[in-house]
Amino acid sequence: MAQDFCHPNHMYKTELKNFSIEDIASSGQCFRLVPGTKKAEFKLIAYGRVLNISHVGSDYSFSCSKSEFDTIWQRYFDLECDYEIYKNMIIPGDLFLREAIRFGGGIRILNQEPWEVLISFIISQRKSVPAIRTSVERLCKAFGESIDDQSYAFPTAKALDQADEKALSSCGLGYRLPYVKKAALAVVNGDLDLEKASKSKTAKLIETFMKLKGVGIKVASCVALFGFHRLDVLPVDVWMRRVIDTQYGGSFPKEYLKYAGVLQQYMYNYARLNKINGKITLSS
DNA sequence: GACCAGGTATTGC
DNA sequence: GCAATACATGGT
């Protein structure tokens, strides 16, 4: 604390490989990591904190102390893991994945808060990524605890459970509003125990979330992957459906299944940002 | 101003 | 069982 007082604007600098904040921000797994006012600057809100990030190439600066970085953000950005392992899994001849990794090789699978992931992905259904961001941000502003004058934490289950119906509906949730309400109630009344869920095996975990109204296999898979770091889980949305059908003959390569969640993220990102609908021709 | 979006629940056969 | 359909709203 003394150190914080003496250095209110502390910065932690480090070089990061296989890491790009731009790639992560656009990859559709996290909706509260957004570009700042200047180029190569980003603002993240997670774990009730604000983190400003800037970089020149692979030299990154984070608006926190080294100890905060080590205890929170290192894990959040999955920096303990060497992503070369995943990149080296490319099957020779899989030009699509190779191209996807060339395009967005700085992606990481974040360790986000399960509750935030659950609600964000309930909201995500039949919404575009920019529209999800808008809804989530409105939700935070309306019901989240204030961190500073323009930053709000993700609302707690209790806050959403008690949320005024009208105020909630002004967040653009549409028909998903009762789903959000019911998920909040489930956590508040103990029907859904996220701490306990984190200890169950992946199949059981997914099953647990699918009991919630408005949570099907895709949303439950996203929660397992992004909220519980189950890297073998493969969420299939409209983009991944197209990728699987047009690039892999209808089924995800079995060689990739162990880390399907990571590899699909490269694929999803590449397909969505390049609007790849049909089979594309890639040359070696 | 259509068209589509990191789907799911419900209905109809 | 499985295919078709409704669903709220915003971004492009």
Side-chain angles (χ1 to χ4, degrees):
Chain A
M1 290 306 276
Q3 193 183 7
D4 288 351
F5 181 78
C6 295
H7 304 282
N9 296 314
H10 49 221
M11 277 285 177
Y12 176 67
K13 293 173 187 282
T14 185
E15 186 183 1
L16 298 173
K17 295 190 170 158
N18 291 322
F19 183 97
S20 158
I21 200 70
E22 284 84 359
D23 289 349
I24 296 167
S26 65
S27 77
Q29 60 177 305
C30 161
F31 306 104
R32 307 202 72 202
L33 171 61
V34 294
T37 47
K38 294 180 192 164
K39 193 164 188 278
E41 287 189 357
F42 285 78
K43 176 185 176 183
L44 167 68
I45 303 173
Y47 291 92
R49 297 161 185 262
V50 176
L51 184 69
N52 292 107
I53 303 150
S54 64
H55 74 106
V56 177
S58 57
D59 293 321
Y60 277 82
S61 297
F62 298 89
S63 66
C64 65
S65 65
K66 181 178 191 309
S67 83
E68 177 177 330
F69 190 85
D70 288 347
T71 53
I72 299 174
W73 305 114
Q74 176 119 338
R75 177 173 172 278
Y76 181 86
F77 288 113
D78 204 24
L79 297 176
E80 294 92 342
C81 180
D82 178 8
Y83 274 58
E84 285 297 324
I85 305 167
Y86 309 132
K87 296 183 175 186
N88 290 336
M89 288 178 71
I90 303 174
I91 299 167
D94 185 349
L95 303 183
F96 184 78
L97 181 56
R98 195 191 66 183
E99 212 47 42
I101 288 175
R102 205 204 307 270
F103 177 78
I107 287 175
R108 297 270 168 163
I109 302 296
L110 304 175
N111 284 283
Q112 302 182 67
E113 293 173 276
W115 167 247
E116 175 173 341
V117 175
L118 173 61
I119 296 304
S120 298
F121 279 91
I122 285 176
I123 292 169
S124 80
Q125 60 181 260
R126 298 304 292 178
K127 271 183 183 291
S128 64
V129 170
I132 300 164
R133 276 199 203 98
T134 302
S135 256
V136 167
E137 212 45 45
R138 285 184 192 166
L139 200 64
C140 294
K141 190 161 190 175
F143 303 106
E145 195 172 323
S146 171
I147 303 170
D148 61 42
D149 55 348
Q150 42 191 342
S151 307
Y152 300 85
F154 195 87
T156 61
K158 188 180 173 190
L160 292 185
D161 177 50
Q162 296 173 345
D164 173 66
E165 200 76 21
K166 263 194 168 169
L168 195 55
S169 95
S170 73
C171 297
L173 305 184
Y175 67 87
R176 308 158 194 84
L177 191 151
Y179 302 159
V180 170
K181 266 277 187 191
K182 282 177 181 174
L185 177 61
V187 168
V188 168
N189 72 17
D191 286 350
L192 177 61
D193 184 338
L194 294 171
E195 186 62 35
K196 194 172 148 195
S198 73
K199 295 178 181 107
S200 37
K201 290 184 180 173
T202 298
K204 181 83 186 297
L205 186 67
I206 288 174
E207 204 177 297
T208 299
F209 289 113
M210 285 181 70
K211 284 178 188 156
L212 296 168
K213 265 287 194 305
V215 177
I217 186 63
K218 156 62 173 60
V219 170
S221 297
C222 285
V223 177
L225 175 59
F226 302 132
F228 294 87
H229 217 66
R230 305 299 171 91
L231 301 184
D232 57 332
V233 173
L234 172 66
V236 179
D237 73 317
V238 292
W239 290 102
M240 277 309 298
R241 186 71 263 160
R242 289 196 277 254
V243 166
I244 291 168
D245 289 345
T246 62
Q247 310 294 327
Y248 298 102
S251 63
F252 196 77
K254 60 182 187 311
E255 294 90 335
Y256 295 157
L257 289 179
K258 189 173 180 192
Y259 296 108
V262 183
L263 300 176
Q264 70 79 33
Q265 198 64 14
Y266 294 124
M267 297 173 187
Y268 163 82
N269 182 250
Y270 181 58
R272 182 176 77 86
L273 296 180
N274 292 288
K275 300 196 190 312
I276 292 169
N277 290 303
K279 177 78 180 173
I280 56 162
T281 47
L282 297 164
S283 57
S284 52

